[in-house]
Amino acid sequence: MDTTVLTYQIANDPSPVRAARELLRDAYEADAQAFRNGADVRDLVKSRADTVDRVLRTIWNRYDFASSPDIALLAVGGYGRGELHPHSDIDLLILTRDGIAESWHDDLGAFVTLLWDLKLDIGHSVRSLDESRQAARDDVTVLTNLLETRMIAGPEELRTELTRMVYSDEVCSDRSYFIAKREEQLARHRKYSNTDYNLEPNLKGAPGGLRDIQNIGWITKRHFGLDSIADLTRFSILTQEEHDILLKGETFLWRLRYGLQLIADRNENRLLFDHQRALADMLGYRDKGRKLGVEQMMQVYYRTVLALSELTDVILQYYDEAILQQDQEAKIQPLNRRFRIRDQYIEAINTQVFAYAPYAIMEIFLLMAQHPSIKGIRASTIRALRAHRHLIDDQFRNDLAVTSLFMELVKTPHPLDETLAHMKKYNVLGRYLPEFGQIIGQMQYDLFHIYTVDTHTLRVIRNMVRMNHPESRTEFPLASRLVHQLPKPELLYLAGLYHDVAKGRGGDHSELGAEDAEAFCQRHHLSERDTQLIAWLVENHLLMSMTAQRKDISDPDIINEFARAVPSQVHLDYLYVLTVCDISATNPKLWNTWRASLLRQLYVETKRALRRGTETPFNREEWVRATQAEARGILNAQGVTDEQIDRIWDTLDEEYFLQDSTVDIAWQTAAIIRHGDDPKPLVLIRDTRGGPTDGYSHIVIYVKDRVALFAATTAILEQLNLNIVDARISVASKGPWSISSYVVLDDQDQPLGKDPARKERVRQRLEEELADPDNYPEIIQRRTPRRLKHFSFPTEITLSNDTYNQRTVIEVITPDRPGLLARVGQVLLDHRVRLTNAKIATLGERVEDAFFVTDEHGWPIRDPEVCQALQEDLRIMLDNIH
């Protein structure tokens, strides 16, 4: 319908809601289509505000109070700036001169009710001038809203009077307002971990986001009384280049936000994975080679907010000087002929210093590292730095003075990660190390890595630095001890800086990164020995974590194989610390006592192997005999006879004695002896203290072996909402029994001992369900609905044969989803494959599991057609879990 007709109906029909909704809907759809067709988002944001203005003004004018000189309808907040995204909040103030007249009550109630009926996200308040003054005085958020008002209907003089009041020192001084908004921004940044590089960023609230731009606008309005940030150029606060960066950055963020709200169909500011691909497609980002369109869009986002963060630093620092320090005498501390400290900020004595001494670009960051009292770089020096960054070229990178300064920076004891973050923020690090510049803002489209590659790298270095702090002794006891033994900590930092630098280039990033690291070392004149160590660490930075998480590290042959790949004890120490720092910087959920214990166990056993010499590996038979002797001693001390022990142990193969601690073997053996010939399943559950399973629950099941046992057991545990972190299956070589061992946590990542009643329910459920093998098929098919993860990528399945242990290894990499292990068990059952061991490694939202299996006769699976069918069925099953 024609908008003129709709506007008439809104103004005159007794029930104008239908016409108003139709006008709003038509305008929304027209603007949405225009956005998809590439229209300027600034025009569309204004268009939306204009449409809402028109509807509200028309409705307001239906009532008698609209003609009064003592009441007005004002837009405030973002709507007051004339900015409305598709589902933005519409903030209104009904402003009266002295209060609400008695004759207005009913009509105002009807007006507000009608607005609710329109289904708009309207927030409103009704205040007199005096009430507005008091509210602004009491709450800086209200004051901020009232700094941005726009008349929709009513006398302009009311808005003018309100503006005069809220801009007065009587309500809030310039100084107080600046301090409040600065503290508010710092608190908001802390909420987002002071990083703008989260993989699901908040476009509005995260550092470098729209709220930071708005914050500058609010402080500017309060200080200068300006209506637009564009006016900053008049006061020489911004250069034209800086103004262009600010405007371009805001426009880009607006496009993201506008498209995001269209896709989400709600007021959404979080750039969730659910929406990123669709938004990238809507904005025209297409896959190019190995780089996804969504990765291209997100890299532009990260680089945009990085530039905005740099710029907002400059502006806020200007206001700090202009507002807080205008009447204070500057405290100046000379540093050298080029730099000094002014009020805790470093500044160049001459803004042309970078032109005649380019090495000063590196020197300024070294001085910051050497003087912890420095809070940052002064705004004028940031601008000078930006004006001379083009001098960072190959000649600069190979200048001995520059390379010496950088190495001194790395060696200086201080929070190196913070200095490197400053260098990145001011676009120095990415220019000095172009290989690092390529990964700035580079996301990895999975939920295993929750940070961009560059942010992850700096967090790795942060973890390395913090290993020297006393608090790390609790969380990282071994690594914090080893870091003090490393001959040259700077080599560890450089390995951390380069370990992921080749991500996204194609090929093996570890090998390519090692080449880059070697070139860096040669350019910085490191010794051949140090160069080889750094390159080896970069090339092998995944070796320890992959061995601990995907191989059976209780097997002496695995330990010896790993030890042969480690040149020396020094290499092992560096690699262990690097691995711990890498894992704990990838995803906060990854580092736990289980993963820590696996790495610690691998480190300790490898250290023994290196001391013993890899040419004389520990003998498996000796290992088994030593384990049995120790466990037998524990059992004998409890009154268990050798005859009772041997009756059980003689049925088990040596694999059983390679896997568990002697205490666990003694505990299980004693329980089996007490169980006797009872045909019912034996289920043992206890929380563990010390060793690899510290802080977890250990479930041991002794029952007659069935091909479907693993599938049924994992299905039951899944239905009980238990998360399996390790599984081991030992089938008796002489007899019908099997010992299944599971390490679990509940759905709150707690051991079962936290809830004794639940622990008993789990035990009873397992006993009852596993007692009837005929019921296993029904158990396996039963599903308990649990929340599925949104993130997805294709399952990867690889099969290989372990000829020494006579078994087949199935490696599964797939998204973590409820019911996953039970589905794997079902496929193994369908193929008559027997599971002998499993390594469960859930890495964030990503699963990397290894299953050690044999055919039904106990031999590796050698038939290529059988292997291919098993591989394909696993892939189909796991990629179709819904």
Side-chain angles (χ1 to χ4, degrees):
M1 186 178 292
D2 184 85
T3 55
T4 304
V5 174
L6 289 172
T7 303
Y8 177 83
Q9 291 180 351
I10 295 170
N12 297 284
D13 283 4
S15 300
V17 172
R18 186 196 60 79
R21 281 186 183 174
E22 190 173 342
L23 191 154
L24 289 167
R25 187 193 67 238
D26 289 350
Y28 175 95
E29 291 175 353
D31 287 345
Q33 188 57 49
F35 179 78
R36 295 186 181 96
N37 292 338
D40 187 334
V41 69
R42 290 188 170 275
D43 293 339
L44 298 176
V45 166
K46 183 178 183 303
S47 169
R48 173 76 173 160
D50 289 345
T51 300
V52 173
D53 282 1
R54 186 167 151 201
V55 169
L56 296 180
R57 186 180 300 112
T58 304
I59 293 174
W60 177 269
N61 289 331
R62 287 167 54 93
Y63 298 96
D64 293 339
F65 57 67
S67 60
S68 170
D70 298 323
I71 189 169
L73 180 65
L74 274 62
V76 296
Y79 182 36
R81 293 191 300 271
E83 302 168 6
L84 271 187
H85 288 262
H87 295 278
S88 293
D89 293 336
I90 299 168
D91 293 328
L92 300 173
L93 170 64
I94 298 174
L95 180 66
T96 66
R97 193 177 303 279
D98 299 309
I100 300 175
E102 185 68 30
S103 59
W104 298 344
H105 275 285
D106 290 344
D107 281 351
L108 279 175
F111 172 73
V112 172
T113 300
L114 199 154
L115 296 188
W116 288 342
D117 289 342
L118 294 180
K119 307 295 185 185
L120 294 173
D121 292 324
I122 287 178
H124 78 284
S125 56
V126 182
R127 295 193 187 101
S128 67
L129 285 169
D130 285 343
E131 290 169 339
S132 296
R133 178 195 294 114
Q134 189 59 48
R137 185 182 292 149
D138 294 342
D139 189 338
V140 72
T141 302
V142 173
L143 170 59
T144 299
N145 256 358
L146 296 182
L147 291 178
E148 300 177 307
T149 60
R150 192 166 48 80
M151 182 61 70
I152 297 175
E156 181 64 31
E157 65 182 78
L158 266 182
R159 190 187 80 87
T160 302
E161 178 62 18
L162 175 68
T163 301
R164 185 195 63 75
M165 286 192 320
V166 298
Y167 275 80
S168 69
D169 285 350
E170 175 195 357
V171 169
C172 183
S173 70
D174 199 12
R175 177 186 180 87
S176 297
Y177 186 72
F178 174 75
I179 292 173
K181 298 309 290 184
R182 185 181 62 181
E183 292 305 311
E184 184 182 280
Q185 177 162 308
L186 290 173
R188 176 166 44 80
H189 286 188
R190 284 193 295 270
K191 178 182 175 183
Y192 295 100
S193 303
N194 289 309
T195 178
D196 40 20
Y197 276 30
N198 288 313
L199 294 193
E200 292 185 301
N202 188 302
L203 298 175
K204 193 172 182 180
L210 288 167
R211 185 64 84 200
D212 283 3
I213 298 174
Q214 292 163 1
N215 209 37
I216 290 171
W218 295 326
I219 294 170
T220 299
K221 287 174 187 292
R222 180 61 188 81
H223 186 62
F224 287 117
L226 304 181
D227 291 327
S228 170
I229 291 178
D231 291 336
L232 285 172
T233 53
R234 295 202 336 254
F235 293 88
S236 301
I237 297 171
L238 288 183
T239 65
Q240 187 60 49
E241 178 192 7
E242 289 169 340
H243 174 259
D244 291 344
I245 291 171
L246 192 64
L247 190 66
K248 183 179 178 181
E250 183 181 56
T251 302
F252 174 73
L253 293 177
W254 275 13
R255 288 188 72 224
L256 291 182
R257 190 182 184 211
Y258 200 100
L260 177 62
Q261 292 193 4
L262 289 180
I263 291 168
D265 197 28
R266 63 176 182 273
N267 187 6
E268 180 62 85
N269 295 301
R270 298 165 302 159
L271 198 47
L272 301 175
F273 279 113
D274 308 49
H275 307 311
Q276 287 179 11
R277 281 185 182 273
L279 182 58
D281 186 63
M282 177 184 283
L283 297 182
Y285 291 92
R286 301 290 179 257
D287 296 352
K288 294 180 182 177
R290 296 175 59 88
K291 199 155 191 176
L292 301 175
V294 66
E295 293 174 337
Q296 298 169 47
M297 178 188 76
M298 294 305 296
Q299 188 160 35
V300 175
Y301 164 79
Y302 294 125
R303 294 189 175 196
T304 297
V305 294
L306 183 65
L308 289 172
S309 292
E310 178 190 30
L311 188 53
T312 54
D313 268 5
V314 170
I315 300 172
L316 288 179
Q317 196 183 126
Y318 167 84
Y319 284 128
D320 185 281
E321 295 170 6
I323 298 174
L324 299 188
Q325 300 175 36
Q326 58 179 336
D327 299 324
Q328 299 177 12
E329 185 177 349
K331 296 177 182 178
I332 297 177
Q333 175 189 343
L335 291 175
N336 58 29
R337 289 181 300 172
R338 291 166 295 282
F339 296 101
R340 64 189 177 192
I341 301 175
R342 176 190 289 268
D343 296 325
Q344 294 185 285
Y345 284 84
I346 190 169
E347 72 171 355
I349 292 173
N350 182 331
T351 56
Q352 292 302 306
V353 65
F354 302 119
Y356 66 75
Y359 65 84
I361 294 174
M362 189 64 68
E363 182 185 29
I364 190 172
F365 295 102
L366 174 60
L367 291 170
M368 291 175 68
Q370 294 172 336
H371 296 82
S373 62
I374 295 176
K375 292 170 61 175
I377 304 175
R378 198 156 182 258
S380 58
T381 304
I382 294 174
R383 282 179 167 147
L385 189 61
R386 185 190 301 124
H388 294 92
R389 285 187 301 217
H390 66 278
L391 297 174
I392 304 176
D393 55 14
D394 285 341
Q395 182 179 346
F396 179 93
R397 297 181 193 104
N398 289 287
D399 187 322
L400 181 60
V402 174
T403 57
S404 299
L405 286 166
F406 186 76
M407 285 307 302
E408 189 175 350
L409 169 65
V410 176
K411 293 177 183 178
T412 299
H414 79 290
L416 176 61
D417 58 297
E418 295 179 11
T419 304
L420 293 177
H422 277 107
M423 293 178 69
K424 183 187 84 168
K425 185 174 189 176
Y426 299 123
N427 200 8
V428 170
L429 187 61
R431 287 174 177 262
Y432 181 63
L433 304 175
E435 56 273 26
F436 187 88
Q438 291 182 50
I439 61 169
I440 290 179
Q442 181 179 313
M443 68 178 293
Q444 298 169 83
Y445 201 65
D446 58 49
L447 285 180
F448 171 45
H449 301 86
I450 67 167
Y451 305 108
T452 57
V453 182
D454 56 315
T455 297
H456 161 71
T457 299
L458 296 186
R459 291 179 74 88
V460 169
I461 295 174
R462 183 188 69 170
N463 287 346
M464 292 171 174
V465 171
R466 292 185 177 183
M467 286 298 170
N468 290 294
H469 298 178
E471 57 267 25
S472 292
R473 294 172 190 165
T474 301
E475 188 173 4
F476 310 105
L478 177 57
S480 64
R481 188 169 74 248
L482 289 177
V483 81
H484 293 286
Q485 301 174 15
L486 300 180
K488 297 180 180 180
E490 67 270 17
L491 306 186
L492 178 68
Y493 301 146
L494 293 174
L497 184 61
Y498 272 85
H499 80 289
D500 274 352
V501 79
K503 283 266 180 92
R505 289 192 217 162
D508 187 325
H509 80 279
S510 299
E511 293 179 2
L512 295 173
E515 293 174 6
D516 287 343
E518 187 173 353
F520 169 91
C521 293
Q522 292 170 354
R523 192 168 73 249
H524 289 76
H525 310 288
L526 273 71
S527 69
E528 181 64 25
R529 175 189 172 94
D530 291 348
T531 298
Q532 288 180 4
L533 175 58
I534 292 172
W536 182 88
L537 287 169
V538 172
E539 185 169 0
N540 294 278
H541 72 274
L542 296 174
L543 177 64
M544 195 168 203
S545 59
M546 290 299 97
T547 301
Q549 293 168 172
R550 300 173 67 176
K551 294 189 178 182
D552 185 0
I553 58 174
S554 61
D555 186 336
D557 295 317
I558 297 296
I559 297 297
N560 203 54
E561 177 189 347
F562 176 74
R564 280 196 296 269
V566 181
S568 71
Q569 179 64 48
V570 170
H571 286 73
L572 178 64
D573 291 347
Y574 274 102
L575 181 60
Y576 178 81
V577 178
L578 173 59
T579 303
V580 169
C581 294
D582 188 15
I583 293 176
S584 53
T586 299
N587 186 326
K589 296 179 181 179
L590 283 185
W591 188 254
N592 52 34
T593 55
W594 176 251
R595 195 158 279 108
S597 66
L598 291 176
L599 286 174
R600 185 170 59 244
Q601 181 183 344
L602 177 57
Y603 174 85
V604 170
E605 297 299 340
T606 305
K607 184 176 180 180
R608 289 175 184 164
L610 291 172
R611 187 184 300 131
R612 186 172 60 244
T614 55
E615 300 306 315
T616 55
F618 199 85
N619 185 279
R620 289 167 64 95
E621 293 180 2
E622 290 180 11
W623 184 299
V624 170
R625 281 198 296 270
T627 299
Q628 289 178 336
E630 190 173 327
R632 189 182 297 271
I634 296 171
L635 288 164
N636 289 159
Q638 297 173 1
V640 181
T641 67
D642 287 340
E643 182 182 3
Q644 291 173 307
I645 295 170
D646 292 337
R647 189 181 304 126
I648 304 299
W649 286 2
D650 285 349
T651 67
L652 301 172
D653 59 26
E654 66 177 19
E655 288 291 321
Y656 176 73
F657 299 98
L658 291 173
Q659 296 182 44
D660 289 296
S661 72
T662 53
V663 173
D664 283 341
I665 290 172
W667 167 57
Q668 294 168 24
T669 303
I672 292 169
I673 291 171
R674 289 194 300 271
H675 189 65
D677 296 326
D678 191 332
K680 293 192 304 183
L682 169 66
V683 178
L684 306 173
I685 305 178
R686 72 174 183 182
D687 291 348
T688 57
R689 294 289 180 268
T693 56
D694 185 24
Y696 292 75
S697 288
H698 194 178
I699 299 177
V700 178
I701 301 168
Y702 182 69
V703 66
K704 285 188 176 181
D705 186 41
R706 296 288 188 277
V707 175
L709 180 61
F710 175 75
T713 305
T714 52
I716 294 168
L717 294 175
E718 159 65 25
Q719 292 154 20
L720 290 167
N721 280 343
L722 296 178
N723 300 313
I724 302 169
V725 298
D726 193 30
R728 294 174 178 174
I729 314 299
S730 296
V731 179
S733 57
K734 301 174 185 175
W737 298 90
S738 79
I739 302 176
S740 305
S741 175
Y742 298 89
V743 178
V744 304
L745 289 171
D746 67 14
D747 49 359
Q748 301 300 314
D749 289 333
Q750 296 294 322
L752 292 173
K754 297 284 185 180
D755 185 351
R758 184 179 185 187
K759 178 179 174 180
E760 180 58 23
R761 289 195 301 272
V762 170
R763 189 188 63 77
Q764 291 178 359
R765 174 81 173 273
L766 286 166
E767 284 184 351
E768 292 169 3
E769 297 262 34
L770 296 178
D772 182 7
D774 293 337
N775 198 37
Y776 286 5
E778 190 276 330
I779 294 171
I780 295 167
Q781 294 299 322
R782 194 188 308 148
R783 298 286 174 231
T784 300
R786 293 172 69 186
R787 185 177 64 86
L788 290 176
K789 312 294 185 184
H790 164 74
F791 206 84
S792 182
F793 56 87
T795 296
E796 299 176 29
I797 310 283
T798 58
L799 275 73
S800 59
N801 279 338
D802 177 357
T803 55
Y804 187 90
N805 292 296
Q806 292 297 298
R807 58 191 181 182
T808 297
V809 183
I810 303 174
E811 294 182 87
V812 177
I813 301 175
T814 191
D816 182 28
R817 286 151 294 180
L820 190 147
L821 280 180
R823 298 298 184 100
V824 170
Q826 183 175 332
V827 174
L828 298 182
L829 173 62
D830 293 343
H831 285 265
R832 308 292 295 178
V833 170
R834 303 177 77 90
L835 183 76
T836 63
N837 197 357
K839 293 289 291 183
I840 310 302
T842 301
L843 312 174
E845 308 296 317
R846 175 189 181 98
V847 166
E848 295 189 3
D849 293 345
F851 301 92
F852 303 88
V853 302
T854 68
D855 63 19
E856 56 187 324
H857 305 295
W859 295 101
I861 305 170
R862 294 190 173 95
D863 187 332
E865 292 184 3
V866 173
C867 289
Q868 185 175 352
L870 177 58
Q871 188 177 33
E872 189 61 24
D873 286 353
L874 280 169
R875 185 181 295 110
I876 291 171
M877 175 67 82
L878 296 180
D879 283 342
N880 286 279
I881 295 180
H882 296 295

